Amino acid sequence: MDRLDAMEMVLAVVEAGSLSGAARRTGTPLATVSRKISELEAHLKTRLFNRSSRRIVLTDAGRTYVAACERILEDVGEAERAAAGEYSVPRGDLVITAPIVFGRLHVLPVVAEFLAAYPEIDIRLALSDRVAALLDDHIDVGLRIGALPDSSLIALRIGMIRQIVCGSPDYFSAHGVPRKPEALAAHRCIAFEGLTPGGAWIFRNGGALTSIPVRARLSVNTAEAAIDAALSGLGMTRVLSYQVAGALKAGSLRAVLTRYEPEPWPVSLVYLGQGRLPLKLRAFLDFAAPRLKRRLTRM
């Protein structure tokens, strides 16, 4: 019995929640998965899982064993990375995650420059607005927008992003420019549900936050749709600064109520801080952080 292989199979069952899920995840026949788990339990002389027709649950011994497996496999991986030269020469694979629009507009160009500078590193860039768990999803570094919860992750702050209310010059020519948030009651608004759910926009007035109801003539679920509607003169919308930086610079959209904007959101690169950083990760952080900072300062 290959013990490391058996440990990896146990973790696959835990992560998938079932033997059949582990079989699909690993591309292994279900009968082989079941046999490997049974052989391991026979070797350990204990049951790792309680099985029923509908679910599989770790026993107390199983939970202890899984925790040990995670440590052992991480140590093995660390040893393999060291032997492969990841700590002497920047090489290997990097997995990076970022929000979809920010990733496409700003992370992807930086990644392209990085790949040209480091030919021995390959990157998988996973763009998603879902906040991925770095450890569970085997991600090396993530770009996060917003306040970060307390965690074991190390965060490298690279800038700030504002929430901007904007509209087209044609709209303001026809309907006037709001000078205070309360004036929005008389204006047409386009709600981007991902940023401002609930039919109200939050503003800062001195040190206090105020919720202002808005009349949403149109509600959409993507920033791109909200921006396109604002460009057409349909009304004002609220989006994040990086999403409209180009339109603001070109003059096709105009920001209003800037003095009442809520506090900007931090933008951070986050990564796991366990053990020594592989050179491929250190190289990316050193390369990407200043370039992303420059991009954010232009917004």
Side-chain angles (χ1 to χ4, degrees), residues 9 12-13 16 18-34:
M9 191 60 69
V13 172
S18 66
L19 296 179
S20 58
R24 289 191 297 271
R25 177 172 294 195
T26 61
T28 306
L30 176 59
T32 302
V33 174
S34 180

Side-chain angles (χ1 to χ4, degrees), residues 29 51 105 107 119-120 125 158 194 202 206 222 224 233 240:
R51 303 166 178 81
L105 294 177
V107 178
E120 294 191 62
L125 178 59
I158 58 173
I202 303 299
T222 69
E224 294 92 335
L240 296 177

Side-chain angles (χ1 to χ4, degrees), residues 10-92:
V10 168
L11 294 186
V13 172
V14 172
E15 291 171 1
S18 66
L19 296 179
S20 58
R24 289 191 297 271
R25 177 172 294 195
T26 61
T28 306
L30 176 59
T32 302
V33 174
S34 180
R35 175 178 56 78
K36 287 185 176 181
I37 297 299
S38 297
E39 288 178 352
L40 180 60
E41 288 178 327
H43 172 75
L44 297 173
K45 296 182 174 60
T46 189
R47 183 175 291 277
L48 299 176
F49 297 97
N50 286 322
R51 303 166 178 81
S52 71
S53 59
R54 302 185 64 180
R55 58 186 304 207
I56 185 166
V57 180
L58 282 168
T59 63
D60 290 342
R63 282 191 290 272
T64 302
Y65 185 74
V66 163
C69 286
E70 290 173 340
R71 292 194 302 271
I72 291 167
L73 291 173
E74 177 58 31
D75 288 343
V76 170
E78 185 84 357
E80 289 176 343
R81 289 191 290 271
E86 282 193 12
Y87 297 108
S88 57
V89 177
R91 64 161 61 101

Side-chain angles (χ1 to χ4, degrees), residues 257-274:
L257 302 173
T258 55
R259 63 178 293 192
Y260 298 101
E261 290 174 1
E263 290 290 335
W265 289 349
V267 183
S268 309
L269 292 171
V270 298
Y271 57 96
L272 295 168
Q274 301 172 355

Side-chain angles (χ1 to χ4, degrees), residues 155-179:
L156 178 62
R157 178 75 61 85
I158 58 173
M160 307 292 285
I161 282 178
R162 297 157 51 209
Q163 298 179 54
I164 290 180
V165 176
C166 57
S168 71
D170 288 344
Y171 174 82
F172 292 129
S173 294
H175 301 279
V177 177
R179 302 299 177 186

